[in-house]
Amino acid sequence: MPTSSCFHCGEVIPKGSDFSVVIQNQIQPMCCIGCRAVAQSIVNAGAASFYEQRTGPSLEFSHLQALRPWTDLFEDPAWTAQHVRAVHDSQALLEATLAIAGLRCGACAWLIEKTVGQLAGVSRVRANASTERLFVQWEPAQTSLSTIGQHVMAIGFAALPISSAPIEASRRQAERKALQRMFVAGLSAAQIMMYAYPEYLEGGDLESDIRSLMRTASMLITVPVMLFSATPFFDSARRALAQRRLNMDVPVSLGLVIAFGASLWAWWTNSGEVYFDSVSMFVFLLLISRWVEAQVRNKASAQRARIATAAPTLAHRLRPDPGTVAAWNLRPGDTIAVRSGERLPADGILVSPHTDLDTSWLTGESLPVRFQQYAALSEGSINLGPGIEVRIHLKPSEGTLTRLSQLAEAAAADRPNWVAWADHIGAKFTAALLLLSGAITLGSIGLGSQTTTWLPALISVLVVTCPCALSMAGPTAYAAALARLLGRGIAVSNAAAIEKLTTVSDIVFDKTGTLTAPAAAAVKPVFGVVADQQLAQRIAAHSTHPLANAIARMSITTSVPASTGIDSCGPLLTEITQLAGLGLSARQGESIIRLGSLSFVTQGVPVAIDDTQRNACAVFLSIDGQLKAGFSVTDQPRPEAAELIRELKRRGIAIWCLSGDRPHRVQALAQSIGIASKHALAEQTPELKRAFVARLQQEGRRVIMVGDGHNDAPVLAQADLSIAVQGSAALAQQKADVYCLTPGLDHVRRALDAARQTRRVLRQNIGWALAYNLIAIPFAAVGMMSPLMASVGMAISSLVVVLNSARLLTALK
C-alpha cells in the first residue's frame, strides 16, 4: 500500500497529517486519530498478523462512526427481548447472533474471534465471513452485549442487528453491483464477438489494418471487464493466497490474467492469437452462474427476514393494568385483546370460545385454521375472526417467531460436512490443476512447441477445469433445501440434521400428542364432585399439554362458562408448575392441588380406590394429598399415523413407541396403527426413554426420536436426531434438530424425503462436476478445445450445478 494511503483503511492521508502505528516492527502511516486508535487496538490484542492476511482495507473510520449508534440498540428492551436468549434455560449464560459490517474474509473472522474471545465473560464466539454473522455466548454477570459490540467497533468492525438498515442497504448495493458487473461483461462479450467474428470467418485472409482495428476495439472493450466485472474473482483469489490456501477463483484469475496478458502482447506486436472474446464470455457466463446461486441463497435469507419482522410491536392488554403496551413488556399470565385483522404479539392460549387464524407465515398454507378454546396460538398469526382474548403463555423473547428466526439464522450460518468435504476436494483439485497446467506448459516448451500451440492449451486447461461446479455443489443444494423446507413448515436447526436424516435405522415415537391427535382426545369424569372437576379444568387450562387441553375442554354437569376466563371461578390459583412426565401442581390458598398420574397426585402414599376406577382413570386430582377426582381419557391416533408407519417400514426403518401411559392403552394404540407389540413400551419415564435410545445406539443403530416437546427433553438430546412435531409445547420449550411447524406427522416423511432428495442432488452435482472435468481435461490439454469453448463449457458446467440445486426449491413435496 503506498505511503500516501492509510495503512488501515486505504484512504488518502491528508496533507500535514502525522499519525502512525508500529505494526510488526514497521511504522505504518494512518490518515486520522480514529484509524490510529483502531490499529493500535488490533496490535495490543496480539492480532497484528491480521494485516498480513486481510484482502483489502478495513472500514473507513468515519463510516465506522456513522454506524456506532446502532450498537446502542443492544440495550433496548424491544431488541433484547426478541434477539437475546438464555442458554439451557438459565440467565447465567446468554447468546445472540449479530450482523457484522466489514466482515469480508477469513482474516476478519479470525480477528473478531480472537479479540472478542479474550473478553472476560465471553464463553463462545464464532464469526462467519460468508454470511457476515457473529454468534456469541456470554455471562451477563461479567460482560454485556453492548460491551462486546463496543469491542468489535474498537477493532474496526460494526456489530449490527440482523435486518438493520445498514445491512439491508449493503445487501441491496451488493446485488446492484453484481447486476452491473454482469451487464458490463455481457454487453462487452456481445460487442467483442461482433468484432471477432470477421477474424474467425476470414482467418488469415483478413486485411492487416482491419484485423488491427478489430483487435484494438476488442481490447478497449475488454479492459472494463477485467477492471470491473472480474474483480470479485481477483479479490477472492487474493484473499485465498494471502491465507496460504487455494480456492476455485485462483485458477479462474490465473486463466484470465494469462489470457488477457497474452492478448495484449499479441495486440501490441500484431502477431499471434488474441482471446479478448474468451475473456469477456468467460466472465459473463461465470457471473451468471454466481448470480443464480445468489438468488437461491437470497430466497432463504428473504424467508428469514420475513419471519424476523412478522411480530407486531404493540399489544392491547386487558389484565392486569389495561392499556396499549409495547409487546416486549408483556409477561406470562397477561390477558390481551387481539382485534380482527391484527397479529398476535406473543405466544398465548385462546381464552375465547374459538377463532380462525392466518398462520401462513409459519406454515406456507394460505387457508385459515380454526382454533378452539384453550388451544395454543403462535406469535405472528393473524386473527381472521372477531376480536378474541388471549392469555400470554410465553415472554416475547421465548416466542415462536423469535425462536424460529434464531433457528433459521443458526442453520444458515452452519456448514454441513459435505460442504466442508467439497471445499477440501476442491482445494486438492485446484492444486492438481495448477500442477497439471505447469506440467503441460513445461512439457510443451521442452518438446519445442510454439507459443501459439501451448499457450491456448494452457489457458483452456486453466479455464475448463476450474472447480467452480464442485465448490458450488454443496452450499447451493443446502441453501435450496433449507429454503424449501422452511416454506413447507419444517425448520432445521443445524447443518448435520439433513445428513443424519439419510442414515436413520430406527425411529422412536412418543405416544401422547405425537402419534395421537391432541384435539381428538376425549376426557370424561369417572368420579369426583362437580366442584373438584371444575378445579381440574381450571388448573389444566394453564398448561398446553394435550391431556391438559382435553381436560380443560371436557364436558361436565356444570362447566366453567367460556366467556368468563380461565381463573374467574373460585379462589385464585398460584404457583402453577408443570413437572415433566408427572403432571401439574398449584396452590389455592393454603392448599396444594395436583393433577396428573396417581403416584404423583398422592405422592406415593397408598390410597383407597376401587380397582375399576383405578383402571378406568388416566388422570387424577388431589387436594393436600387427598384423592378428589379421576378422569378417563380416550386417545385417537392421528389420521395419518398408520400410513406413515407403513411407509417407514417399507423403507426398512424399525419403528418404536415409548409412552408413560399404561400398557393396555399403549398396546391398543400400537395395534391400531401397525406398530409391533414388542416395539410398544409402556410406563416409560423420561429417563427410561433416554436409556432405551442409548441401548439402541450401543448396538450401532442410528436413532431418530419424534416427540411433541413435552417430557421428551432427555431422550431428544440422546437421540442421533430429534424431531419435534407441532403438538402442544411452544417452540421455545422444545430442544430438537428438526421442528415441524404445523400439526400432523406428514412432516416426518417430508423431512426424510427432503434429505434423500438433497443427497441425490448433491451426488448428481458432484458426479457431473467430476465427469465434466475428466472428459474436458484431455481435450483441453491436447489443444482440441479453444479458450472460448473452454469458457463456455466451464460456465455451463457451473450453471448446470446451480440450476440442478435450484430444483430443490420446488421438488420437495
Side-chain angles (χ1 to χ4, degrees), residues 8 34 37-42 64 68 148-157:
H8 178 74
V38 172
Q40 192 63 58
S41 297
I42 293 174
L64 196 64
R68 184 177 294 276
I148 295 171
Q150 292 166 7
H151 197 76
V152 170
M153 184 79 68
I155 58 174
F157 304 92

Side-chain angles (χ1 to χ4, degrees), residues 19-36:
F19 300 106
S20 63
V21 175
V22 177
I23 300 176
Q24 295 183 324
N25 300 321
Q26 292 186 4
I27 299 176
Q28 302 294 355
M30 302 287 157
C31 66
C32 64
I33 191 172
C35 284
R36 184 182 69 176

Side-chain angles (χ1 to χ4, degrees), residues 66-376:
L67 297 176
R68 184 177 294 276
W70 283 93
T71 61
D72 297 337
L73 195 61
F74 298 151
E75 298 293 339
D76 185 86
W79 188 87
T80 56
Q82 293 290 332
H83 296 90
V84 176
R85 52 202 176 272
V87 180
H88 306 308
D89 301 322
S90 170
Q91 294 297 323
L93 187 64
L94 304 177
E95 65 182 20
T97 301
L98 308 174
I100 302 295
L103 177 52
R104 296 170 176 150
C105 63
C108 299
W110 170 83
L111 174 63
I112 293 172
E113 290 180 354
K114 178 178 177 62
T115 53
V116 174
Q118 293 174 348
L119 286 175
V122 174
S123 59
R124 187 183 177 197
V125 57
R126 186 175 70 243
N128 189 315
S130 62
T131 58
E132 298 180 333
R133 295 290 190 265
L134 174 67
F135 172 82
V136 61
Q137 288 183 349
W138 72 96
E139 299 176 27
Q142 297 190 53
T143 190
S144 66
L145 190 58
S146 61
T147 301
I148 295 171
Q150 292 166 7
H151 197 76
V152 170
M153 184 79 68
I155 58 174
F157 304 92
L160 304 168
I162 293 173
S163 299
S164 59
I167 292 297
E168 288 303 305
S170 176
R171 183 191 62 79
R172 288 193 296 268
Q173 182 180 7
E175 189 168 348
R176 284 195 300 269
K177 188 71 74 175
L179 288 172
Q180 290 168 0
R181 289 192 176 100
M182 193 163 57
F183 173 78
V184 170
L187 185 62
S188 299
Q191 192 67 44
I192 292 171
M193 288 300 295
M194 292 176 59
Y195 294 139
Y197 182 73
E199 190 169 350
Y200 282 125
L201 189 64
E202 299 294 336
D205 297 334
L206 191 65
E207 293 182 11
S208 177
D209 291 344
I210 299 297
R211 184 176 64 178
S212 179
L213 179 62
M214 295 297 185
R215 288 186 171 188
T216 300
S218 297
M219 182 273 295
L220 292 174
I221 295 174
T222 307
V223 169
V225 175
M226 292 292 289
L227 297 181
F228 177 66
S229 297
T231 51
F233 312 132
F234 296 143
D235 289 343
S236 174
R238 191 167 57 248
R239 284 196 296 267
L241 294 175
Q243 297 167 17
R244 296 178 177 85
R245 61 183 180 86
L246 297 173
N247 68 3
M248 62 181 175
D249 289 323
V250 172
V252 168
S253 301
L254 190 58
L256 288 173
V257 169
I258 292 175
F260 186 69
S263 300
L264 282 177
W265 177 256
W267 165 76
W268 181 257
T269 61
N270 199 26
S271 64
E273 298 292 331
V274 296
Y275 309 105
F276 296 123
D277 54 344
S278 301
V279 169
S280 299
M281 185 63 70
F282 179 43
V283 172
F284 174 56
L285 294 176
L286 191 52
L287 285 173
I288 288 178
S289 63
R290 300 279 177 96
W291 183 81
V292 174
E293 180 194 17
Q295 297 311 299
V296 174
R297 293 175 180 270
N298 287 342
K299 184 174 180 64
S301 63
Q303 285 179 319
R304 299 197 301 272
R306 284 196 298 270
I307 291 171
T309 57
T313 56
L314 296 176
H316 311 294
R317 186 164 57 195
L318 299 177
R319 298 182 291 274
D321 303 325
T324 300
V325 299
W328 58 87
N329 286 329
L330 294 173
R331 293 292 179 267
D334 289 359
T335 300
I336 63 171
V338 181
R339 299 164 184 167
S340 181
E342 290 185 343
R343 290 183 181 271
L344 270 70
D347 284 26
I349 296 175
L350 180 62
V351 177
S352 302
H354 58 78
T355 193
D356 293 321
L357 297 182
D358 175 0
T359 61
S360 57
W361 74 267
L362 181 68
T363 66
E365 302 293 341
S366 58
L367 294 177
V369 180
R370 170 60 61 97
F371 290 86
Q372 301 295 333
Q373 188 177 32
Y374 306 126

